[in-house]
Amino acid sequence: MASWLQIPKNSPFSLANIPFGIISARSASRAVAIAIGDYALNLNTFASSGGFAQLPEIQPHLSVFGQPTLNAFAALGRPVHRQVREYIQNVFRVDTPFPQVLKENAPLQKDALVPLSEVTNHVPMQIGDYTDFYAGLNHAYNVGVLFRGPDNALQPNYKHLPVAYHSRASSVVTSGTPIHRPNGQILANPTATPKVPAFSPCKRLDIELELAAFVSTPNDLGHPVSINNAEDHIFGVVLMNDWSARDIQAWEYVPLGPFNAKNFATTITPWVVLLDALEPFRSAGLEPGDRDSLLPYLREKRAANVYDIPLEVELTNEGGKSSVIAKSNAKNLLYSFPQMLAHHTITGCNMNPGDLLGSGTISGTEPGTQGSILEQTNGKNPIKLADGSERIFLEDGDTVVLRGMAGTEGNYVGFGDCVGKILPAIKLDI
């Protein structure tokens, strides 16, 4: 997939990708764009200048590219997403059949192609609801061992359904947004009697390495999405960091699960990678999706139901020294996004364009493959960073970067960096 546009060989936004997002640049309002190499193509400018003239199927829908979110475009459905992506790929091919559209059109190139360094990214979709699943089997087991021991690490329901909780959509932010350390109730001494919490800044701030999928096509209230059709209801995938306050979580999670420990911030990458771009990287998950232990409504026809995407976590301290603290792979999931969606809707729950489904923490089984710091340290055994310093949990000034990229040099399909820097807790007069 060679392009006439110069694309760095290590770019996650090769011609094989074409992810969609929302940008603002050059004092213009927000608009739909795609990322390619070191550039964003403003699709509103592109469309208004006749860029889609060779794609008659999209002509009735050109207004979606001028919207401040991807919701309207996503709602058009997967066949339209596929047509637009393939058309843009053809426009950028070195042997493009449409050279007059952009390759030989200097004025449109100048107006529509914007360097990513000059772009402001925004949360790509208006998120009405956000559900975070717990589909990372190794993470669930590791955390279960910490709380219940190896014999009871996984609850009896775990391998029968995708466990999840309803999280907070309003605090989902895009990469680069600083994250304040949260304040909350903390039980300093769990063995004390009586158990009386204190109020303080979180002392056990953690990350969770996840993927997340955006819903595109809605379903009507009372009408579940079939596992056989679920993939066509998914727009695309982003990287996600589900920031977690472990000490707040330990006090509050009984009996209803996470609340304040998770609601203060969730960071996602701004570019949505379409499922078609991930298709070449299909892989079997930790167990076949059609295993007999699943009820029929969760059984997928093919075992290759997740994606082979190498993932990593990098931590940079305030002094600027960086350390890769974890390497994992998106194959380390027990359930796929279609299974999550089918289960979410089996009661008749209606999903809408822009609803977000988190995968849960993606961990491997070997040391250094865990997607959370808690798993690596057990809350007491520090990990060593490149400069010799240590971490049991995150400190103020730390910057965390999640990365995920599949494919080979020159044809990478990736998400870009998912970045968040930890700021001190806000001082409260209470």
Side-chain angles (χ1 to χ4, degrees), residues 131-392:
T131 303
D132 197 21
F133 285 83
Y134 199 43
L137 171 61
N138 298 320
H139 171 75
Y141 177 80
N142 292 339
V143 173
V145 169
L146 286 176
F147 288 100
R148 295 180 296 275
D151 293 337
N152 299 296
L154 297 177
Q155 300 287 6
N157 64 354
Y158 188 78
K159 291 191 176 182
H160 293 275
L161 57 84
V163 175
Y165 72 97
H166 192 246
S167 196
R168 186 69 188 174
S170 64
S171 53
V172 177
V173 297
T174 194
S175 175
T177 305
I179 307 299
H180 278 283
R181 181 179 297 272
N183 293 290
Q185 287 195 28
I186 296 169
L187 187 64
N189 183 3
T191 64
T193 303
K195 298 187 186 310
V196 179
F199 184 86
S200 78
C202 164
K203 296 179 176 64
R204 298 164 70 88
L205 186 58
D206 200 359
I207 61 155
E208 290 191 345
L209 169 63
E210 303 192 26
L211 295 179
F214 279 109
V215 173
S216 57
T217 308
N219 62 297
D220 293 331
L221 181 66
H223 295 266
V225 175
S226 164
I227 188 65
N228 297 324
N229 300 324
E231 195 167 276
D232 288 337
H233 288 253
I234 295 171
F235 177 51
V237 180
V238 293
L239 262 180
M240 186 172 87
N241 188 345
D242 181 27
W243 305 95
S244 300
R246 300 300 186 190
D247 41 7
I248 296 174
Q249 183 178 1
W251 174 239
E252 74 176 6
Y253 85 101
V254 177
L256 294 181
F259 179 41
N260 284 336
K262 301 276 194 174
N263 70 2
F264 59 95
T266 302
T267 303
I268 62 172
T269 44
W271 298 104
V272 183
V273 177
L274 300 189
L275 295 191
D276 282 358
L278 295 174
E279 187 67 24
F281 312 108
R282 278 190 172 274
S283 176
L286 295 182
E287 294 186 19
D290 61 349
R291 62 188 185 276
D292 293 338
S293 62
L294 288 178
L295 292 175
Y297 78 93
L298 286 173
R299 294 179 189 168
E300 293 180 278
K301 291 182 178 179
R302 48 184 172 180
N305 62 346
V306 297
Y307 303 103
D308 182 359
I309 308 172
L311 306 169
E312 72 173 30
V313 181
E314 180 183 85
L315 191 154
T316 303
N317 63 20
E318 201 158 23
K321 190 70 173 179
S322 298
S323 306
V324 174
I325 63 170
K327 290 188 176 183
S328 187
N329 193 293
K331 292 188 296 184
N332 288 312
L333 289 173
L334 185 62
Y335 297 101
S336 69
F337 285 118
Q339 286 174 311
M340 296 177 210
L341 183 59
H343 182 64
H344 204 318
T345 65
I346 194 61
T347 57
C349 173
N350 54 322
M351 308 293 287
N352 295 304
D355 285 352
L356 186 64
L357 307 177
S359 67
T361 306
I362 304 173
S363 296
T365 57
E366 301 299 320
T369 65
Q370 300 95 334
S372 70
I373 298 174
L374 173 65
E375 292 172 82
Q376 294 197 42
T377 68
N378 291 335
K380 56 186 178 182
N381 303 314
I383 54 175
K384 289 188 179 296
L385 304 184
D387 64 351
S389 62
E390 298 180 337
R391 290 290 184 278
I392 295 180

Side-chain angles (χ1 to χ4, degrees), residues 5-8 10-14 17 19-26 32-42 112-122 175 270-271 414-417:
L5 182 71
Q6 186 173 359
I7 301 174
N10 63 345
S11 173
F13 308 132
S14 73
N17 193 350
F20 289 76
I22 297 294
I23 66 166
S24 56
R26 298 172 178 169
V32 174
I34 60 96
I36 181 166
D38 292 332
Y39 294 88
L41 178 68
N42 185 319
L113 271 177
V114 186
L116 288 175
S117 59
E118 299 177 13
V119 160
T120 298
N121 292 107
H122 305 277
S175 175
W271 298 104
F415 305 94
D417 290 353

